Amino acid sequence: MLAHADHPISAPVNDANVHKLMARAVVAPDSHVLDLGCGTGTWLQRLLAERPGTTGVGVDSGPRTVEAARRSAEELGLADRLTLHCLDAKEYRCERRADAVFCVGATHAFGGLRETVLGCAEHLAEGGTMLIGDGFWERPPGEATLRALDCTAEEYRDLHGTVELVEKLGWQVVYAHTSTLDEWDDYEWNWTGSLTRWALTNPGHEAAADALEEAARHRTAWLNGYRGTLGFVTMLLMRND
Ligand SMILES: C[S@@+](CC[C@H](N)C(=O)[O-])C[C@H]1O[C@@H](n2cnc3c(N)ncnc32)[C@H](O)[C@@H]1O
């Protein structure tokens, strides 16, 4: 939560691109939107604030995260249009199918990209769109990258392989945003910087030393491990038929 204080979108996507992606994903003014792995609900809150006719459901397994999402929805006057569930995304069963389903930076909730596409599709109304954000290899990962991310090379594909996988499942990429290195850097400097700043301004807090250590660990994993090798793509998908 502290790490995301200055970059509430928990993915390397800047505000202008978040806006652009949502504008393409959600077209009808009375759309119903589901966000699986919604974090503090920032995507949905921005959408609902801009479109008074829309409704949303956010699902996240982190109790504190969902509590924060609930608080900010109330503060923004969106609580009557935004339902939040503290739940494993795989366990969620929808009461109403959504016109758009988002899952950005949370494909691990389903066990990977393939499972995420299949899982999100279960909640989608006919003719709806899905916005899926996941990592891909900008270049083949070396040992340092795999160690930093604690993953295998097979966990992600290159960009073409990522699109191919989605197409094999029966979906077409009708638009996508590939995060720039600037977006990644801004995301990671915010992540590590916000945590560090909090630790330095709260030196007496029992968690200050841990926060400093965690920020340093994360920064090393990024700068010494995955910077420039792990990419991030947010794909807008529609069904073939
Ligand atoms: C990197 S954040 C992305 C949050 C949000 N989509 C965004 O872009 O701002 C990943 C989120 O997935 C949530 N998450 C992880 N495993 C989950 C699961 N099994 N079910 C639901 N949410 C999960 C985490 O709590 C976290 O809030």
Side-chain angles (χ1 to χ4, degrees):
M1 301 274 296
L2 287 170
H4 291 116
D6 298 311
H7 194 298
I9 296 290
S10 302
V13 186
N14 69 27
D15 292 346
N17 287 317
V18 166
H19 183 87
K20 188 161 74 176
L21 284 161
M22 289 198 302
R24 296 212 184 202
V26 182
V27 179
D30 59 347
S31 294
H32 180 62
V33 181
L34 169 66
D35 190 346
L36 295 165
C38 66
T40 50
T42 312
W43 288 76
L44 284 174
Q45 286 158 11
R46 290 190 184 174
L47 182 79
L48 268 55
E50 279 178 20
R51 318 259 196 107
T54 51
T55 52
V57 172
V59 178
D60 200 282
S61 57
R64 287 190 187 178
T65 311
V66 174
E67 196 38 50
R70 213 163 259 145
R71 251 194 331 268
S72 46
E74 270 161 30
E75 282 163 15
L76 294 166
L78 300 170
D80 58 332
R81 288 189 286 131
L82 179 55
T83 308
L84 293 156
H85 298 285
C86 185
L87 202 63
D88 188 314
K90 290 195 296 297
E91 307 297 321
Y92 174 69
R93 302 287 172 266
C94 67
E95 285 170 16
R96 172 184 171 192
R97 283 178 178 262
D99 302 299
V101 178
F102 299 172
C103 183
V104 181
T107 54
H108 50 286
F110 288 93
L113 178 58
R114 184 178 185 282
E115 293 76 9
T116 299
V117 171
L118 298 174
C120 289
E122 286 181 20
H123 308 294
L124 195 67
E126 215 180 309
T129 57
M130 300 205 295
L131 204 51
I132 311 280
D134 198 17
F136 71 91
W137 297 129
E138 293 268 14
R139 56 183 185 203
E143 273 309 309
T145 301
L146 298 177
R147 227 184 359 261
L149 294 169
D150 192 22
C151 75
T152 63
E154 288 69 41
E155 198 148 317
Y156 302 107
R157 292 139 226 92
D158 64 12
L159 188 54
H160 185 241
T162 303
V163 170
E164 265 188 344
L165 186 149
V166 164
E167 284 184 353
K168 276 188 190 142
L169 296 171
W171 294 81
Q172 290 291 338
V173 181
V174 295
Y175 181 65
H177 170 68
T178 311
S179 296
T180 63
L181 191 58
D182 271 358
E183 282 176 298
W184 264 110
D185 285 354
D186 188 54
Y187 175 64
E188 300 289 8
W189 285 125
N190 270 303
W191 201 113
T192 55
S194 306
L195 204 50
T196 302
R197 194 183 179 115
W198 178 84
L200 296 180
T201 48
N202 293 276
H205 197 286
E206 58 178 1
D210 283 350
L212 264 187
E213 197 180 314
E214 179 60 13
R217 191 203 57 74
H218 187 104
R219 194 175 52 227
T220 300
W222 163 46
L223 293 177
N224 232 5
Y226 59 87
R227 183 175 186 267
T229 301
L230 183 68
F232 193 83
V233 62
T234 309
M235 299 174 285
L236 179 62
L237 308 180
M238 287 184 78
R239 186 98 202 144
N240 261 341
D241 44 41

